[in-house]
Amino acid sequence: MRDYPLQPSIPKLAPLSQLATPPLRLGMTQWSHNAWQRKFYPSGTKSGERLARYAEVFNTVEGNTTFYASPSHATVANWKAATSDAFRFTFKFPQPITHQMMLRHSDAMVSEFITLMQPLHERIGLWKIQLPAAFGPQSLPDLKRFLTAMPTAYNVGVEVRHPAFFAKGDDERAFNSLLMEYNADRIIMDSRPVFAVPADTDALLDAQQKKPAVPVHAISTSNTPMVRFIGDPTLERNDAFFANWQKKIPQWIEEGKTPYLMIHTANNDQAPQLAERYYAKLREQILLPPLSPLTPSSVNDQQISLL
C-alpha cells in the first residue's frame, strides 16, 4: 500500500481534513443542509458556522453555488476565513458562461469570475466546467479555446452530457485526447444507484427527473480525477455500485493521482453517512488517514450524560 505524505508536525494518525497533501479529497455537494443539524453540526451551530464545521471532517466540497450566482466579495472572504490551507473548493463556472454562451465570447465574464475568487485561488482544487447536453462534438473547438486561455497552474475538470462523448467512438476519443492535451480532468458522474430502484420516495422521484442518466466511464485524463457518486437514500443499496470505485480509486492513488470523491444522495440527508461508509471501504483497500467523527462532540457528551 502507498503511504500518504505528512507534514513533520502532523502525527501519523492525523485525520484526513488536517493533511496538506492528502491521498484523496472527500466531500459532498454542499456544506449547509438543515437535515444535518445535531447529526453533524453541534447544537447551536448557526448557518454561517456550518462551513467551518464541515471542514473539520471533509477536505473538499463541490461549490455548486457559483453555478447559479456569483458570491459577493464578503462571502468569498468568509469562505476563506472558515477553512484552512488544507481545504480545497471545487467551484463551477457560472451558468451563463457554460450553458448560455457555451464557452463562446465569454472571456470578460471568465476573467471577472476568476478575479472575484482570487482570495481563494490557493484553495481551489478544481475549476469545474459543467457543460449541457447541447454541447456536442461540434463544440470541441470552443472547449479547446477555453482551455487554452485558462492559466496553466489551475486544475480544470470538465463534465459533459452529450451522448456522443459516451459512445466510445471517435468523438469520445477526441474529447478525451483534448483533455489530456491540456491536463484537464474528465469529471465522472455515477448516477446508477438512483435509477436502479423504483422512485418510491419524493427524493428519488425528484432525482430521477433531474439527474442525467449517463454511462459511467472511469477514465482519468489528468492527475485529479473526480467521481460524483449520486446515491440512493437507502445507504446499503449503493454498495454494489461502489464496488468498482473501491478498486479504481485506490488504483489512482497508487499511480500518484489525487482523486476527488464527491458523495451525493437523492436528497443529501444521509450524504455524510454515505461518505463515511465509503471512505471506510476505501481504507480496507489502501492505507488512508482516519476520518474525523461525524457526530459532534457535544452530542456525544450529551448521550454519555444520559447513561
Side-chain angles (χ1 to χ4, degrees), residues 100-116:
Q100 297 171 17
M101 306 180 79
M102 301 247 285
L103 306 184
R104 295 189 296 269
H105 314 298
S106 59
D107 290 359
M109 294 181 67
V110 171
S111 178
E112 181 180 352
F113 178 66
I114 289 177
T115 301
L116 172 65

Side-chain angles (χ1 to χ4, degrees), residues 274-290:
L274 189 61
E276 180 185 49
R277 182 185 185 93
Y278 288 144
Y279 190 70
K281 288 186 177 294
L282 291 173
R283 294 188 79 198
E284 295 173 2
Q285 304 296 319
I286 189 170
L287 180 62
L288 295 173

Side-chain angles (χ1 to χ4, degrees), residues 147-182:
L147 293 175
T148 300
M150 285 292 292
T152 56
Y154 292 177
N155 291 329
V156 178
V158 183
E159 182 180 320
V160 289
R161 306 285 174 86
H162 194 284
F165 296 134
F166 298 89
K168 298 185 178 180
D170 291 342
D171 292 328
E172 182 173 6
R173 284 189 285 272
F175 171 59
N176 291 336
S177 295
L178 176 61
L179 297 183
M180 292 177 189
E181 178 183 354
Y182 286 90

Side-chain angles (χ1 to χ4, degrees), residues 30 43 94 117 121 129 135 137 143 181 187 191 195 210 218 229 246 252 262-263 306:
Q30 57 192 132
S43 179
M117 307 306 291
H121 279 190
I129 304 169
F135 193 99
L143 177 58
E181 178 183 354
I187 296 174
S191 58
F195 290 102
K210 295 180 179 178
F229 187 89
Q246 194 175 346
W252 283 335
M262 299 299 195
I263 298 294
L306 294 174

Side-chain angles (χ1 to χ4, degrees), residues 63-277:
N64 289 323
T65 180
T66 55
F67 180 72
Y68 299 102
S70 292
S72 67
H73 291 282
T75 296
V76 173
N78 289 339
W79 291 345
K80 182 175 182 179
T83 57
S84 72
D85 288 337
F87 193 82
R88 292 294 180 269
F89 294 90
T90 65
F91 289 117
K92 288 183 181 178
F93 280 97
Q95 188 175 21
I97 294 171
T98 57
H99 283 57
Q100 297 171 17
M101 306 180 79
M102 301 247 285
L103 306 184
R104 295 189 296 269
H105 314 298
S106 59
D107 290 359
M109 294 181 67
V110 171
S111 178
E112 181 180 352
F113 178 66
I114 289 177
T115 301
L116 172 65
M117 307 306 291
Q118 193 279 331
L120 287 172
H121 279 190
E122 293 184 356
R123 295 184 192 169
I124 297 178
L126 205 64
W127 297 81
K128 296 180 59 182
I129 304 169
Q130 180 181 295
L131 296 169
F135 193 99
Q138 75 284 354
S139 298
L140 284 182
D142 297 316
L143 177 58
K144 182 180 179 70
R145 283 191 291 270
F146 192 94
L147 293 175
T148 300
M150 285 292 292
T152 56
Y154 292 177
N155 291 329
V156 178
V158 183
E159 182 180 320
V160 289
R161 306 285 174 86
H162 194 284
F165 296 134
F166 298 89
K168 298 185 178 180
D170 291 342
D171 292 328
E172 182 173 6
R173 284 189 285 272
F175 171 59
N176 291 336
S177 295
L178 176 61
L179 297 183
M180 292 177 189
E181 178 183 354
Y182 286 90
N183 292 317
D185 289 283
R186 178 168 181 166
I187 296 174
I188 306 159
M189 175 176 286
D190 189 350
S191 58
R192 294 173 299 164
V194 297
F195 290 102
V197 294
D200 54 6
T201 66
D202 290 341
L204 277 172
L205 178 62
D206 185 64
Q208 290 181 8
Q209 291 174 342
K210 295 180 179 178
K211 302 298 183 184
V214 295
V216 180
H217 291 183
I219 300 169
S220 174
T221 56
S222 190
N223 295 317
T224 51
M226 176 185 283
V227 177
R228 298 179 64 201
F229 187 89
I230 305 176
D232 182 331
T234 303
L235 301 190
E236 60 271 15
R237 296 198 302 205
N238 297 292
D239 290 354
F241 299 102
F242 193 77
N244 287 338
W245 296 121
Q246 194 175 346
K247 300 175 183 177
K248 175 58 71 173
I249 290 173
Q251 177 186 326
W252 283 335
I253 295 173
E254 295 281 7
E255 293 171 356
K257 300 176 186 288
T258 305
Y260 280 67
L261 176 59
M262 299 299 195
I263 298 294
H264 316 219
T265 62
N267 57 12
N268 280 325
D269 287 359
Q270 300 295 320
Q273 288 73 28
L274 189 61
E276 180 185 49
R277 182 185 185 93

